[in-house]
Amino acid sequence: MILPDLIQSSALASMQEQMVLITGGEILLRDDRIKQQWRVEIAPFFLAKYPITQAAYAAIANQSPSCFKGANNPVETVSWRDAVHFCNLLSAAAGLRPCYSLGAETAVDATADGYRLPTEAEWEYACKAGTSGIRYGELGAIAWYKENAEKTTHPVGLKQPNAWGLYDMLGNVWEWCSDIYDETVYGSYRIIRGGGWADEPRGCLATNRRRSHPAAFKIDDLGFRVARNKS
């Protein structure tokens, strides 16, 4: 019998090994809904090579919420609050300062050294990996989407990575980002990026911005990956 603390330790070690250092730079974001563009400076940060898997989620959060079962498949059917709660648990397990205070309102400590969700600017910057197109490669080679996914998620890391060694940035599952989408219009809705297994090609673009409720919205093509500040 494998003890729970050993399972957690193994998951933590695996997570620490897969964090990729993303060098700083800048990204031009756009929102086609409001026809606006804005430039964001990106400080160096760490981003997970893969979306969080079901095995990692179960080891840290002791839960198995996904509709499509598979230890190495991305965890899905998780809300934004589920994702940031996982980040806090992972931080605590690693002896790091958690980034989120989860009360009636979520507060974020931007200086904390723990795990967090990437901002959408960090996400798009990392996804493009120095490229300027709508994708970092040919869609079928880099992503699980409607035409090749066969109506299910797939184990992470089977498709080609981008130039910075990040897998499944497009397709497989959408990914929660830390940002509020447009507070004046949508309140606390948070941003999701990347497209999922059920999406047409037009859904799997580095530039797509969508949003949903941080606590109420859970679906079988939405997961997350984690980031950390570079100290």
Side-chain angles (χ1 to χ4, degrees):
M1 178 178 179
I2 301 176
L3 298 177
D5 57 340
L6 294 180
I7 295 173
Q8 187 180 85
S9 296
S10 177
L12 181 60
S14 176
M15 181 60 58
Q16 292 169 336
E17 291 173 359
Q18 69 168 268
M19 299 302 288
V20 176
L21 177 61
I22 307 299
T23 57
E26 65 176 25
I27 186 77
L28 182 66
L29 300 181
R30 74 169 190 266
D31 188 327
D32 293 334
R33 179 183 63 88
I34 58 177
K35 308 301 182 185
Q36 289 187 4
Q37 293 185 334
W38 61 100
R39 193 172 300 276
V40 180
E41 294 292 329
I42 306 292
F45 69 103
F46 291 97
L47 187 65
K49 185 182 297 186
Y50 311 110
I52 294 297
T53 64
Q54 295 176 35
Y57 195 85
I60 300 299
N62 196 30
Q63 294 181 352
S64 182
S66 299
C67 293
F68 303 109
K69 301 301 183 182
N72 290 321
N73 287 39
V75 70
E76 25 85 1
T77 317
V78 287
S79 70
W80 183 88
R81 284 185 66 89
D82 292 335
V84 299
H85 179 58
F86 174 89
C87 290
N88 277 359
L89 292 175
L90 186 61
S91 298
L96 303 172
R97 183 153 54 100
C99 294
Y100 302 98
S101 297
L102 299 177
E105 299 290 335
T106 302
V108 183
D109 182 354
T111 67
D113 62 355
Y115 291 91
R116 59 178 175 81
L117 299 180
T119 67
E120 71 158 333
E122 288 173 336
W123 187 96
E124 184 172 328
Y125 178 77
C127 179
K128 288 185 171 180
T131 63
S132 58
I134 58 175
R135 302 186 186 98
Y136 53 86
E138 189 274 319
L139 184 57
I142 64 173
W144 298 107
Y145 69 112
K146 187 174 182 178
E147 293 181 14
N148 66 6
E150 298 181 339
K151 300 181 179 180
T152 185
T153 61
H154 292 263
V156 301
L158 297 183
K159 292 293 186 177
Q160 294 176 6
N162 69 11
W164 293 347
L166 303 172
Y167 293 80
D168 298 289
M169 291 296 289
L170 298 178
N172 221 356
V173 290
W174 288 85
E175 298 180 13
W176 286 111
C177 293
S178 63
D179 313 59
I180 291 176
Y181 182 80
D182 184 341
E183 191 168 12
T184 59
V185 177
Y186 295 98
S188 63
Y189 275 33
R190 302 285 172 162
I191 293 167
I192 60 177
R193 290 294 205 115
W197 61 265
D199 282 275
E200 300 282 355
R202 65 178 179 273
C204 299
L205 306 177
T207 54
N208 271 0
R209 305 177 76 232
R210 295 187 185 174
R211 73 277 175 183
S212 199
H213 192 280
F217 190 69
K218 303 182 183 184
I219 196 168
D220 61 8
D221 67 349
L222 175 57
F224 66 101
R225 76 179 69 214
V226 296
R228 278 190 66 197
N229 293 334
K230 182 180 182 296
S231 53

